[in-house]
Amino acid sequence: MREIIQEDPKRIKIGIDKTDAFQKKEEASVFSEKVSCNLAKAYDLFCQMAVPVAVVKDIIYPQFQIIYSGQGKNEPRTPLDDIATKKAIYFLFALTLGFGVSKQISNLFSKGEYLLGHLFDLVCSIGLEAFADDITKRYFTMEVSKGTLKDSDIMLRYSPGYCGWHITAQKMLHENLQSSDIGISLTEAFYMKPMKSISGVIIGCNPSKHDFNNNYPFCGRCRTKTCRKRLVVNGI
Ligand code: SF4
């Protein structure tokens, strides 16, 4: 099954408190009036200009193995080597907010509107993740209702370019998904256009599989440790 899902940007929940725009000023309990005003403007721009659309396709384990291997450039040991099994459920996905938002971000910076440009960029990034979370929840609910996953299982996303999965795997992933149907293309360096797009695989399985030891050789260079944060968010 392959599905194209269009979303109304106003339905994507972007919690203002989720913004980490000014992380360095954690002691500030409230945003200044100027920041609040620009944040509201950035959210309005998001509602006007974002065109959220996703393509999702279910695949089986042997198909995932081929796509995951890509051009054979993955790190020798990766989380996905440990997570992916025949028992898991796999969906390839790509989603984007369209070209308009990226153009608007560039326009704001070129006009010298740095605060609004920064906040709009941030709202788009958070909106993109929130949209991806909504899609993940939607497919999790569908699989639970079909009985292919249990309520106690979880679904998480993994993307080429992160955690040892080489970015060159994008080529096969996007060809298989036919993501050009939603306006996504790849640059020669395998980055997505439009810029505000994400892609990868959604894997549903027992939570313990996602709770891997993050002691892979490349983890020492990782600044975000998002794999740990996700476990906390999902209560694992
Ligand atoms: S520590 Fe960083 S690189 Fe290592 S698995 Fe977690 S998110 Fe990936």
Side-chain angles (χ1 to χ4, degrees):
M1 181 200 70
R2 175 178 178 269
E3 189 180 14
I4 290 181
I5 302 156
Q6 287 173 316
E7 183 56 286
D8 178 348
K10 296 188 194 78
R11 286 169 53 95
I12 297 176
K13 294 211 171 16
I14 301 173
I16 300 290
D17 57 341
K18 278 175 78 184
T19 66
D20 55 356
F22 300 97
Q23 250 177 0
K24 292 195 180 85
K25 293 188 180 172
E26 273 172 4
E27 72 277 8
S29 58
V30 288
F31 291 131
S32 74
E33 202 178 316
K34 190 175 173 191
V35 172
S36 296
C37 173
N38 277 278
L39 204 46
K41 277 191 200 168
Y43 181 67
D44 284 347
L45 278 177
F46 179 83
C47 292
Q48 286 164 30
M49 309 198 75
V51 186
V53 57
V55 56
V56 185
K57 183 180 172 187
D58 63 342
I59 53 165
I60 56 173
Y61 178 59
Q63 293 170 312
F64 173 67
Q65 282 182 306
I66 293 168
I67 290 163
Y68 169 66
S69 300
Q71 299 183 1
K73 294 183 178 173
N74 295 339
E75 294 288 332
R77 274 183 62 231
T78 75
L80 282 171
D81 285 326
D82 296 334
I83 297 163
T85 64
K86 261 189 214 162
K87 283 186 180 169
I89 304 287
Y90 301 86
F91 291 95
L92 298 182
F93 76 94
L95 50 92
T96 183
L97 299 180
F99 279 104
V101 293
S102 304
K103 206 168 163 200
Q104 181 67 8
I105 293 165
S106 304
N107 285 345
L108 288 169
F109 278 104
S110 54
K111 283 195 289 181
E113 294 197 46
Y114 301 115
L115 178 59
L116 182 56
H118 169 69
L119 290 172
F120 182 48
D121 187 6
L122 184 75
V123 165
C124 288
S125 297
I126 294 172
L128 194 59
E129 287 294 328
F131 181 33
D133 286 346
D134 291 346
I135 296 282
T136 309
K137 277 182 211 144
R138 172 188 173 125
Y139 277 84
F140 178 73
T141 306
M142 273 165 44
E143 292 304 311
V144 170
S145 67
K146 282 195 304 192
T148 46
L149 285 179
K150 291 186 270 186
D151 250 336
S152 54
D153 291 331
I154 60 166
M155 270 184 162
L156 291 179
R157 302 187 302 276
Y158 297 87
S159 297
Y162 297 91
C163 307
W165 189 6
H166 201 271
I167 195 165
T168 49
Q170 288 275 54
K171 187 171 188 304
M172 214 181 280
L173 187 149
H174 284 268
E175 281 172 0
N176 195 295
L177 261 180
Q178 296 177 280
S179 59
S180 55
D181 287 353
I182 61 164
I184 294 179
S185 60
L186 294 180
T187 67
E188 278 184 16
F190 304 97
Y191 291 110
M192 283 175 281
K193 291 194 295 188
M195 203 171 64
K196 292 295 179 191
S197 305
I198 50 177
S199 63
V201 63
I202 300 169
I203 302 183
C205 59
N206 188 286
S208 63
K209 297 298 287 180
H210 294 289
D211 185 12
F212 50 82
N213 274 329
N214 60 336
N215 62 356
Y216 303 93
F218 45 84
C219 292
R221 301 189 300 274
C222 173
R223 285 191 296 165
T224 61
K225 311 279 187 227
T226 46
C227 61
R228 298 304 98 179
K229 291 175 195 159
R230 295 204 303 186
L231 296 183
V232 174
V233 170
N234 286 281
I236 301 173

